[in-house]
Amino acid sequence: VGQKMWGGRFSAEPGELMQAINVSIDFDCKLAAQDIAGSKAHSNMLAAQRIITSDDRDAIHKGLTEIEAEINDGTFPWSRELEDIHLNIEARLRDKIGDAAGRLHTGRSRNDQVATDFRLWVRDALDNFDAQIDTLQRALLSQAAGNTDTIMPGFTHLQNAQPVTFGHHMLAYLEMFARDRSRLADCRARMNESPLGAAALAGTPYPINRDMTAEALGFDRPMANSLDAVSARDFAMEALSAATICATHLSRLSEEIVIWTSAQFGFITLTDAFTTGSSIMPQKRNPDAAELIRAKVGRIMGAMTTLTIVMKGLPLAYSKDMQEDKEPVFDAFEALSLGLAAMAGMVSDMHPNKDRLAEAAGAAYSTATDLADWLVRSLNMPFRDAHHVTGTIVALAEQKAKTLDALTLSEMQSVEPRITDDVYSVLSPLASASSRVSYGGTAPSEVEKQVTRWQEILA
Ligand code: ARG
């Protein structure tokens, strides 16, 4: 029992406290598969370069394969005394194959080892996101394809603005998620370089072949500067940035789902699969999944902030601060992955209430712009005058508690005598949406073209 440095303030011994703050195995055990892949690639290279014998290489590989099996079936003897994943695996290898295990770490350091493992892990996660976003896009596309002419209100300021189609609204998110995929792909391309062989910070005197290990691990090339290789974590920050942006898109869609499922809107219905009841109010069907996805951006952006502040001001090369890089990334990526999966499920589960959407689309004088445009087109009125006349007609409708297309012709003519009954052809929400045939517009004909385009892209 050693002396207590902090008196009664801490009950643990200094040795225990050091271990408590230093240990990372509780979370970096997630890097086991990457660590083993890295060690296999490294030992292959050492043997090819005649730095170790092929017998040692074979023993190392056999041992690592057994260790991988132990980890997968839950029999691996994890040890907190051994600090991290790298030392846990190396110690176990020594148990299994003896002295040859000690040759594995030739020309390598935990600094390039952990940088390699973490890159491999993040790269796998990025590939997984790409597949998950693809699934979500397909769900959105299928809602879009089934609703190219489902009319709904389009909003600005969350006030009725102009009618749009539900399919158009779904495709807006499909576009956002496509940019997320492309951001994640950019990040993947930039990060796909190998730190392995940078050793502690300065490189190594052994005649290693960094191209060989880079290629074996699926990297495009070795990183060109050993100091940078062990110090860089911008790949993780970039991945978290792209994840944060993607999470904002999930959050906005979640918010719309929360609004749309309310009794006041009633735009869509979710089945019991993505809602929960209340312990007291028997009528409730709460959109909990959407709310939780809406919130995930908080922890994802929080992780981005955490890692940025960990890295800020760190001198080159490795400092132990950098061990704090993993937990935020693991947590954020799990949150995003779950959010993407739940959102894909929820989008497939959405049932648009077409009658209610159509009714809401016609409310609040949503076709007033169409009336103004009709005055411009049919009476050659300057748009500013048409805007004013339309405003007066809206006020009249409001006073009579009627929708625009329910006003009689003579009521409209009391404001502008030259109006003819041709005006009714533009006043319905469907006519309004159908007229917006400009490229990227909401007309069903345009939405169908975009659906076809996306079917080809995602095919
Ligand atoms: N567990 C460490 C980490 O996650 C591994 C690298 C340790 N390197 C060192 N020089 N202590 O960063």
Side-chain angles (χ1 to χ4, degrees):
V1 180
Q3 89 253 56
K4 291 199 170 101
M5 265 201 235
W6 301 278
R9 182 98 162 69
F10 296 98
S11 55
E13 302 301 326
E16 290 170 42
L17 285 171
M18 183 57 207
Q19 192 202 78
I21 196 162
N22 201 31
V23 69
S24 59
I25 191 62
D26 304 325
F27 51 88
D28 65 21
C29 58
K30 270 193 174 23
L31 299 177
Q34 290 76 12
D35 199 69
I36 288 169
S39 290
K40 285 186 171 175
H42 184 67
S43 51
N44 268 337
M45 181 278 290
L46 292 176
Q49 298 295 105
R50 311 229 178 282
I51 301 168
I52 63 172
T53 65
S54 49
D55 285 350
D56 284 345
R57 188 263 324 271
D58 293 345
I60 289 167
H61 277 239
K62 184 170 167 286
L64 289 172
T65 300
E66 287 173 25
I67 288 170
E68 188 152 45
E70 288 178 351
I71 291 172
N72 290 337
D73 66 25
T75 57
F76 185 86
W78 298 107
S79 156
R80 301 186 91 239
E81 273 72 44
L82 289 167
E83 206 183 306
D84 61 20
I85 183 67
H86 323 294
L87 298 183
N88 265 267
I89 290 178
E90 199 181 314
R92 185 69 183 147
L93 191 61
R94 181 173 292 276
D95 292 347
K96 286 181 175 295
I97 67 168
D99 283 348
R103 300 191 187 279
L104 168 60
H105 213 54
T106 316
R108 180 178 85 167
S109 148
R110 270 192 294 159
N111 296 348
D112 59 337
Q113 190 179 355
V114 73
T116 302
D117 293 0
F118 197 28
R119 265 179 206 257
L120 290 173
W121 192 92
V122 170
R123 191 180 71 188
D124 282 352
L126 294 181
D127 290 343
N128 188 43
F129 288 147
D130 189 67
Q132 287 195 288
I133 299 175
D134 183 89
T135 303
L136 172 55
Q137 287 182 305
R138 284 168 200 275
L140 288 162
L141 180 58
S142 134
Q143 286 288 359
N147 291 287
T148 53
D149 58 0
T150 301
I151 303 299
M152 69 177 283
F155 298 93
T156 61
H157 313 269
L158 198 56
Q159 308 287 324
N160 260 24
Q162 295 172 346
V164 297
T165 59
F166 193 82
H168 195 51
H169 203 116
M170 293 295 106
L171 290 179
Y173 282 102
L174 213 159
E175 297 280 348
M176 291 175 231
F177 290 119
R179 290 194 296 277
D180 288 326
R181 280 181 85 169
S182 126
R183 255 184 292 274
L184 293 162
D186 286 349
C187 173
R188 188 196 194 285
R190 211 172 350 265
M191 72 168 284
N192 199 32
E193 295 188 339
S194 174
L196 195 58
L201 74 163
T204 171
Y206 295 100
I208 60 170
N209 181 346
R210 295 190 58 208
D211 290 293
M212 184 179 167
T213 45
E215 197 192 325
L217 295 170
F219 289 116
D220 295 328
R221 62 193 78 82
M223 292 179 78
N225 183 300
S226 63
L227 289 168
D228 178 45
V230 294
S231 307
R233 294 295 183 271
D234 54 289
F235 69 91
M237 287 191 270
E238 185 174 0
L240 285 173
S241 311
T244 301
I245 296 173
C246 180
T248 67
H249 295 149
L250 287 176
S251 188
R252 296 179 78 171
L253 180 51
S254 300
E255 169 69 355
E256 301 214 277
I257 291 172
V258 170
I259 295 175
W260 290 350
T261 52
S262 69
Q264 289 73 15
F265 275 76
F267 285 5
I268 59 167
T269 308
L270 295 174
T271 69
D272 292 347
F274 287 96
T275 53
T276 61
S278 157
S279 55
I280 173 168
M281 298 165 283
Q283 84 285 9
K284 291 281 265 182
R285 181 181 269 189
N286 296 324
D288 295 41
E291 296 166 275
L292 288 162
I293 300 170
R294 183 173 61 183
K296 293 288 183 208
V297 65
R299 58 202 295 165
I300 296 169
M301 169 129 193
M304 168 67 195
T305 307
T306 300
L307 182 58
T308 304
I309 296 173
V310 166
M311 296 310 295
K312 177 201 168 291
L314 275 190
L316 303 187
Y318 179 86
S319 297
K320 199 62 178 268
D321 308 49
M322 290 162 71
Q323 179 166 288
E324 295 275 318
D325 59 356
K326 292 165 207 67
E327 286 165 289
V329 171
F330 292 158
D331 181 74
F333 281 22
E334 188 181 325
L336 184 63
S337 180
L338 190 55
L340 286 167
M343 184 55 88
M346 205 160 38
V347 167
S348 303
D349 189 54
M350 278 183 341
H351 299 273
N353 302 325
K354 297 190 181 187
D355 293 345
R356 172 64 198 129
L357 285 165
E359 179 199 354
Y365 317 105
S366 63
T367 57
T369 317
D370 301 274
L371 173 53
D373 288 339
W374 185 90
L375 295 170
V376 169
R377 256 193 336 267
S378 308
L379 306 180
N380 196 26
M381 214 182 258
F383 183 77
R384 279 291 152 226
D385 297 348
H387 187 283
H388 181 77
V389 169
T390 304
T392 312
I393 294 174
V394 166
L396 179 69
E398 216 166 6
Q399 187 196 323
K400 300 205 177 272
K402 288 178 168 183
T403 61
L404 276 183
D405 56 354
L407 286 173
T408 64
L409 187 56
S410 60
E411 282 168 337
M412 284 196 255
Q413 285 171 338
S414 73
V415 179
E416 169 50 63
R418 291 176 295 165
I419 293 177
T420 67
D421 68 1
D422 179 57
V423 78
Y424 291 104
S425 70
V426 303
L427 292 183
S428 79
L430 177 60
S432 167
S434 302
S435 73
R436 291 186 157 67
V437 293
S438 52
Y439 175 74
T442 201
S445 58
E446 284 305 305
V447 175
E448 271 159 29
K449 284 183 206 161
Q450 291 297 327
V451 164
T452 305
R453 179 182 146 245
W454 276 111
Q455 281 166 342
E456 283 160 10
I457 294 172
L458 296 177

